[in-house]
């Protein structure tokens, strides 16, 4: 039975369109050009960070984040960047008695923003910077299993990427939900792994309560 739900952040809870647009601006690259290269890099199965290298060889994302902050242009997201189904879905899952967490590859700064947005909505917020491990490293999902007060097979991990979310969560013994939005899910959706690996596939987080209820009912 599913007793807990842990959510990825980018393109699961947060629409990153605006944020990647600001990176294009920082690189002084047209936004549509940056977006096209971003999609091409993902479609080739490469690390999304290679996108920056295409425009600026030797680009160091960590150093550039610091430079943006020093220039008064830090990475940022807020309530307006949340997908519209996030708040109602969390409220319904909470009403259904599920333990809720947020766990994604995020910086310390992003972790602080997440806590300001979701402190009263979830039971835990953990980031890769907090834990010293980034997806798809198995250690990241070990950290998730350590902090959630249920067994791995009772923790549904929800994400938008087969490579970073679904496969490693399954390897950690967790059921999974693949949500169809953002560049990764759009590109990966019709692949064999995206169709056969997840426990459930959804177009909206609002589908989760019913699908979890059905799964739990069948497990009784």
């Amino acid at each position: 039975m599913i007793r807990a739900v842990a959510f990825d952040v980018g393109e699961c809870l947060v629409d990153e369109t605006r944020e990647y647009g600001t990176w294009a601006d920082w690189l002084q690259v047209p936004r549509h050009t940056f977006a096209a290269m971003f999609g091409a890099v993902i479609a080739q199965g490469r690390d999304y960070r290679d996108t920056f290298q295409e425009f600026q060889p030797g680009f160091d994302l960590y150093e550039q984040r610091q430079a943006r902050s020093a220039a008064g242009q830090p990475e940022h997201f807020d309530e307006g960047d949340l997908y519209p189904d996030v708040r109602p879905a969390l409220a319904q899952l909470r009403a259904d008695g599920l333990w809720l967490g947020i766990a994604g590859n995020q910086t310390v700064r992003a972790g602080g923003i997440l806590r300001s947005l979701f402190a009263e909505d979830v039971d835990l917020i953990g980031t890769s910077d907090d834990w010293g491990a980034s997806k798809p490293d198995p250690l990241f999902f070990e950290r998730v299993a350590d902090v959630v007060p249920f067994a791995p097979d009772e923790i549904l991990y929800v994400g938008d990427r087969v490579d970073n979310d679904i496969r490693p969560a399954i390897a950690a013994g967790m059921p999974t939900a693949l949500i169809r939005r953002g560049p990764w899910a759009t590109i990966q959706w019709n692949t064999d792994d995206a169709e056969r690996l997840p426990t459930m596939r959804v177009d909206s987080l609002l589908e989760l309560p019913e699908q979890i209820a059905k799964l739990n009912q069948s497990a009784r």
Side-chain angles (χ1 to χ4, degrees):
M1 291 184 64
I2 305 300
R3 302 182 185 277
V5 184
F7 295 90
D8 176 39
V9 180
E11 300 308 330
C12 182
L13 303 178
V14 177
D15 181 344
E16 296 178 309
T17 301
R18 179 164 67 113
E19 182 53 38
Y20 282 118
T22 64
W23 274 116
D25 298 343
W26 181 254
L27 289 168
Q28 298 183 327
V29 174
R31 290 190 175 198
H32 71 282
T33 302
F34 184 88
M37 181 58 72
F38 194 97
V41 165
I42 293 171
Q44 292 165 11
R46 296 159 62 191
D47 190 306
Y48 80 95
R49 288 169 290 194
D50 288 351
T51 306
F52 299 95
Q53 302 297 326
E54 295 289 342
F55 298 110
Q56 190 178 115
F59 184 94
D60 186 306
L61 185 56
Y62 178 76
E63 289 181 356
Q64 291 299 313
R65 281 186 176 129
Q66 290 184 311
R68 280 187 57 171
S69 182
Q73 302 175 45
E75 292 182 286
H76 179 73
F77 59 89
D78 55 33
E79 185 73 27
D81 297 298
L82 300 184
Y83 279 102
D85 57 359
V86 171
R87 294 290 186 194
L90 292 179
Q92 184 59 58
L93 291 167
R94 173 76 84 187
D96 291 344
L98 292 160
W99 189 99
L100 302 178
I102 295 173
N105 283 353
Q106 300 292 325
T107 63
V108 170
R109 175 181 173 80
I113 296 172
L114 290 168
R115 290 179 180 93
S116 72
L117 290 171
F118 294 107
E120 298 181 1
D121 303 288
V122 299
D123 299 286
L124 175 92
I125 296 171
T127 71
S128 51
D129 269 14
D130 294 332
W131 293 334
S134 300
K135 295 181 298 181
D137 188 334
L139 183 58
F140 178 93
F141 290 91
E142 290 178 19
R143 295 282 191 254
V144 175
D146 287 342
V147 297
V148 177
F150 298 101
D153 63 0
E154 297 175 314
I155 305 166
L156 180 73
Y157 191 81
V158 185
D160 65 299
R161 296 180 59 175
V162 175
D163 52 340
N164 253 33
D165 302 320
I166 304 305
R167 286 199 200 103
I170 290 172
M174 299 175 187
T176 59
L178 179 65
I179 184 160
R180 185 181 188 177
R181 60 185 174 209
W184 280 276
T186 299
I187 291 169
Q188 298 174 348
W189 190 255
N190 293 317
T191 63
D192 180 63
D193 280 356
E195 292 180 347
R196 69 180 177 84
L197 291 179
T199 307
M200 56 188 74
R201 290 165 29 116
V202 297
D203 290 303
S204 166
L205 296 179
L206 292 171
E207 298 172 35
L208 288 176
E210 182 178 359
Q211 290 218 29
I212 291 172
K214 288 181 178 178
L215 187 67
N216 285 349
Q217 185 63 35
S218 67
R220 295 183 188 279

